[in-house]
Amino acid sequence: MVRKVDVDIEKRLILVVDDEYINREIMREILKDTYDIIFAENGKEAIDKIYEYKDTLSLVLLDLIMPVMKGFEVLKHFNESKKLKRKIPFIVITSDHKSEVESLDLGAVDFIPKPFPEANVISARIKRTIELFEDRETIKSTERDALTKLYAPEYFYRYATNLDKNLSIDMDALIIDIHHFHILNIRFGTEVGDEVLSSFSKKIKETIHKYNGIVSRRGADVFMAYLPHTDEYKEILSEIENIDVEEVKGRITVKIGVYPNVDKSIDIRRRYDRAKIACDTLRNKVVTSSVAYFNKDLYDKELFEEQLIDDFEKALEEKQFKVYFQPKFNVQGDKPVISSAEALLRWIHPTLGFISPGIFIPVFEKNGLIQRMDHYVWDETAKKIKEIKDKYGLSFPISVNVSRVNMFDNDLVNDFESIVKENGIKNEELLLEITESSYTENSEQIIDTVNDLRNHGFKIEMDDFGSGYSSLNMISILPIDVLKIDMALVRNAFSAEGNTRILELIMDIKKSLNVIAVAEGVETLEQVEALKKIGCDVIQGYYFSRPLNEKDFEEFLKKELNL
Ligand code: C2E
Ligand code: CA
Ligand code: CA
């Protein structure tokens, strides 16, 4: 059963401020069919109400002469407010024509004289003022998405907040996502892609409206809905996945993330983050359309991630982050020779203990902290290179990982230049590992940045090579010095049913590109010998050494090189 909700969420909200009961009642009569109305009886009350409803208020009708606080004071207050200045339109109600200019100066946009003109004159002025104001806002953030005609997120959040104010029932926040939409786009072309999106959004809208909800387009192929709590997501799924585009009929898989019975005390955006987290749990699993719920486990995970973020600053200050070094060996000579190392970060947390980078790095990648973290690692690594140089007269290159997020930083090249300069080392001694997936995400910009880095003398290693699926067709135009083979390929090649054919193919590629090949995750002598035989230059892995702390690494180096 679909429950009926009476509140019309499209109704605009108006605050009527007047000290006289009869005037308030007149306005109520004129406006009640078209608008939701709230009232205040003096300036002080008006200010409180405006703050309370600031996100949803479309207009304030303000009497000038009132006890306690006059209308002018209210205008003055908001004229001086940084956040709310000219955010909400005021129409002044006045019998005193001289105050018009002064009100205008203070930001009022129109007048209604007292005694009141005819009702339709008042309605028309109010309607026009709201429209003009919303047009202005619309220019700032388009209300509706051009392709799907759904609400843009900012408007959607406003309506959803509005809905909460008017309804005291449980609500669900939904993220709706077409699985692998980009593949449809590549396979059938963007025209069909657009058609799919239009048709899909129409289906979502029809379906969610039946459940008295509202819908928005969040981004490319991701939609949001806000609706009274329901258990009928199976039905909802089967309705919306069934879209009418010939080419893709029966091929669309839909994922829905539900944050059920939302906590209305948390910010509306955050509620959708939770729905998104639920939806993301389906990322690698779905074969048919599916629904996932934000539950206790995900909540705990969210709390844990929040703690990591909260603790970041202090960890950096107190040097809880430790840079470890894992040796890399050149195997092409008679005997393997240590030739370099990779800097890998560990977090020794005072209460949580050892935290692996596989856990905290994705968290920091989501919110930009990764940039500061990486800079810290780069700087510590540069110091280490310099220390080795000073102590042993040795130029020993070490590689650092460059997170995908950093590749969009316009200062990246300058930052590396200063790190290298400040620490007195050479550009070619700080090797940069950039993961393959960075290249496929926004290839042109990444290629420009990488070219820039190489022109400055930095050496680029493509990390996790072979883990993605689109780099093979671009490999010949990518600017790189080293191919670092994805660990999973090495693992597969040496598993029970595996063979080294893929690795041999990669060796062919590296020869034709004239670059160096590094294999990582190498754990046995047998693997070392096989890799050496097919032409792999450098090997990193537990066979030679685990990542070592600063002290142990130095001991290791001394022993290997007889220093
Ligand atoms: P990655 O860059 O592919 O690093 C290689 C990972 O494989 C490291 O895990 C390393 O300890 C592990 N490993 C090395 N040899 C073997 C082996 O023989 N067998 C097995 N099973 N594993 C081996 P770790 O240190 O846990 O790092 C995981 C990932 O976290 C790294 O993958 C990298 O993407 C990221 N990461 C680590 N440190 C940093 C950093 O300072 N900055 C950034 N941006 N990412 C980092
Ligand atoms: Ca790496
Ligand atoms: Ca890697």
Side-chain angles (χ1 to χ4, degrees):
M1 245 301 288
V2 177
R3 240 181 309 176
K4 185 80 199 116
V5 180
D6 307 322
V7 176
D8 179 356
I9 49 113
E10 306 268 345
K11 254 186 173 177
R12 306 296 193 255
L13 181 68
I14 295 183
L15 170 65
V16 175
V17 190
D18 201 309
D19 56 321
E20 283 177 65
Y21 174 75
I22 184 72
N23 289 341
R24 295 198 300 268
E25 283 309 300
I26 292 171
M27 284 301 172
R28 187 203 298 278
E29 271 314 304
I30 298 174
L31 302 174
K32 69 172 198 257
D33 290 338
T34 324
Y35 303 98
D36 287 329
I37 317 163
I38 48 176
F39 295 96
E41 297 181 16
N42 61 56
K44 262 208 157 61
E45 251 182 47
I47 289 179
D48 291 345
K49 286 263 160 73
I50 290 170
Y51 279 114
E52 187 181 346
Y53 290 94
K54 64 179 184 330
D55 293 329
T56 51
L57 206 51
S58 289
L59 179 77
V60 179
L61 285 175
L62 183 67
D63 184 23
L64 285 187
I65 317 287
M66 292 177 294
V68 188
M69 189 195 267
K70 293 196 182 2
F72 270 135
E73 299 294 315
V74 178
L75 287 177
K76 242 188 232 148
H77 177 95
F78 287 105
N79 199 41
E80 284 160 13
S81 153
K82 266 212 190 84
K83 280 214 174 114
L84 288 184
K85 185 173 179 169
R86 292 182 209 259
K87 276 276 186 283
I88 299 165
F90 287 88
I91 294 182
V92 162
I93 305 170
T94 174
S95 49
D96 165 18
H97 296 292
K98 272 183 269 152
S99 22
E100 291 184 8
V101 178
E102 199 178 344
S103 314
L104 264 186
D105 281 345
L106 287 172
V109 290
D110 201 1
F111 304 90
I112 292 175
K114 265 187 195 170
F116 289 141
E118 274 179 49
N120 54 6
V121 175
I122 294 180
S123 306
R125 289 185 111 146
I126 287 175
K127 182 161 175 271
R128 198 202 53 170
T129 300
I130 292 179
E131 275 170 7
L132 281 178
F133 229 76
E134 290 190 351
D135 282 350
R136 205 195 64 171
E137 292 288 306
T138 306
I139 294 165
K140 279 193 270 170
S141 76
T142 324
E143 176 173 8
R144 285 178 194 274
D145 171 59
L147 177 70
T148 63
K149 306 287 181 288
L150 296 178
Y151 291 128
E154 282 312 310
Y155 270 78
F156 173 79
Y157 292 140
R158 255 180 90 150
Y159 287 133
T161 314
N162 199 355
L163 207 56
D164 286 343
K165 293 234 157 80
N166 291 311
L167 284 174
S168 54
I169 57 172
D170 289 339
M171 301 294 287
D172 294 352
L174 263 55
I175 290 281
I176 306 167
D177 190 346
I178 303 177
H179 192 53
H180 282 333
F181 176 74
H182 65 284
I183 293 180
L184 285 181
N185 235 354
I186 292 169
R187 180 134 176 227
F188 299 104
T190 46
E191 224 167 89
V192 173
D194 282 356
E195 225 182 298
V196 168
L197 288 176
S198 310
S199 170
F200 187 62
S201 53
K202 219 170 116 215
K203 272 271 163 9
I204 295 179
K205 195 164 149 186
E206 282 167 11
T207 311
I208 298 298
H209 278 191
K210 269 196 259 171
Y211 288 81
N212 295 302
I214 53 173
V215 179
S216 160
R217 186 178 183 201
R218 181 179 168 107
D221 56 341
V222 183
F223 299 82
M224 296 185 280
Y226 198 54
L227 67 163
H229 176 66
T230 172
D231 293 317
E232 298 176 19
Y233 287 110
K234 273 223 170 75
E235 290 83 343
I236 290 179
L237 249 188
S238 66
E239 272 187 55
I240 62 180
E241 74 173 345
N242 187 16
I243 66 167
D244 314 315
V245 179
E246 226 16 80
E247 289 88 334
V248 300
K249 258 210 151 93
R251 292 176 197 259
I252 300 272
T253 313
V254 177
K255 297 177 289 184
I256 299 184
V258 184
Y259 172 32
N261 303 318
V262 300
D263 174 354
K264 292 189 185 177
S265 70
I266 65 171
D267 184 74
I268 184 84
R269 288 168 188 77
R270 179 128 175 246
R271 295 178 218 166
Y272 283 91
D273 291 343
R274 290 187 171 179
K276 180 81 169 54
I277 289 171
C279 195
D280 286 347
T281 62
L282 297 169
R283 193 183 290 156
N284 300 320
K285 300 187 204 150
V286 302
V287 272
T288 57
S289 296
S290 322
V291 180
Y293 291 85
F294 187 80
N295 56 19
K296 172 89 170 60
D297 285 351
L298 292 176
Y299 177 72
D300 290 345
K301 184 163 173 261
E302 191 191 26
L303 280 190
F304 175 70
E305 292 190 353
E306 263 165 34
Q307 187 186 354
L308 297 187
I309 293 165
D310 286 347
D311 293 349
F312 176 82
E313 210 60 54
K314 204 160 169 223
L316 209 53
E317 238 167 67
E318 296 182 350
K319 299 213 161 200
Q320 294 167 14
F321 290 118
K322 304 279 181 221
V323 182
Y324 276 48
F325 300 95
Q326 185 174 34
K328 297 182 193 174
F329 279 75
N330 189 320
V331 293
Q332 280 306 322
D334 294 342
K335 262 179 60 196
V337 179
I338 187 168
S339 57
S340 158
E342 175 178 10
L344 292 161
L345 196 58
R346 274 88 187 88
W347 185 355
I348 319 294
H349 190 283
T351 54
L352 300 171
F354 176 91
I355 312 175
S356 130
I359 290 175
F360 63 80
I361 283 173
V363 178
F364 296 155
E365 266 175 345
K366 273 192 265 178
N367 57 26
L369 289 177
I370 187 75
Q371 279 183 281
R372 294 186 44 215
M373 199 204 76
D374 270 354
H375 276 75
Y376 172 79
V377 178
W378 302 340
D379 199 51
E380 292 289 304
T381 304
K383 282 197 175 79
K384 191 78 205 167
I385 297 170
K386 171 72 169 149
E387 196 190 310
I388 295 172
K389 191 191 293 258
D390 287 349
K391 262 194 190 162
Y392 309 107
L394 187 70
S395 167
F396 189 80
I398 303 181
S399 62
V400 292
N401 289 286
V402 182
S403 161
R404 167 168 27 105
V405 182
N406 285 301
M407 298 309 292
F408 299 98
D409 179 357
N410 290 326
D411 293 330
L412 188 69
V413 180
N414 284 338
D415 289 353
F416 274 123
E417 278 288 348
S418 12
I419 287 175
V420 160
K421 209 172 265 143
E422 274 161 29
N423 287 291
I425 63 169
K426 293 196 208 110
N427 293 15
E428 66 265 25
E429 289 171 328
L430 190 66
L431 311 175
L432 311 181
E433 296 195 9
I434 300 171
T435 176
E436 182 197 72
S437 61
S438 292
Y439 284 86
T440 50
E441 230 160 71
N442 186 337
S443 31
E444 256 168 58
Q445 189 182 345
I446 303 286
I447 291 174
D448 284 350
T449 309
V450 173
N451 271 326
D452 203 8
L453 285 166
R454 288 185 87 216
N455 291 338
H456 280 78
F458 291 101
K459 295 264 180 283
I460 309 297
E461 308 200 356
M462 188 195 252
D463 203 357
D464 309 322
F465 178 71
S467 61
Y469 44 83
S470 33
S471 59
L472 268 181
N473 53 24
M474 357 187 315
I475 186 72
S476 60
I477 56 160
L478 293 179
I480 45 164
D481 303 281
V482 177
L483 280 184
K484 197 164 184 193
I485 304 159
D486 188 40
M487 212 173 331
L489 291 183
V490 175
R491 188 144 313 147
N492 287 341
F494 297 106
S495 67
E497 303 97 61
N499 60 60
T500 57
R501 238 174 288 149
I502 295 267
L503 298 180
E504 286 164 50
L505 254 173
I506 293 178
M507 294 309 147
D508 288 343
I509 294 172
K510 83 118 195 179
K511 269 178 224 143
S512 78
L513 294 178
N514 199 18
V515 298
I516 291 169
V518 179
E520 63 180 329
V522 176
E523 297 184 350
T524 65
L525 179 61
E526 178 210 345
Q527 292 170 0
V528 173
E529 281 174 346
L531 284 159
K532 177 177 172 174
K533 200 167 132 214
I534 61 173
C536 184
D537 307 277
V538 175
I539 286 177
Q540 171 185 351
Y542 294 173
Y543 173 72
F544 288 115
S545 167
R546 291 186 174 252
L548 302 169
N549 69 30
E550 234 188 317
K551 223 176 113 250
D552 293 346
F553 175 67
E554 199 172 328
E555 289 307 312
F556 189 92
L557 195 64
K558 272 164 74 180
K559 217 172 102 210
E560 283 297 323
L561 294 175
N562 299 315
L563 298 169

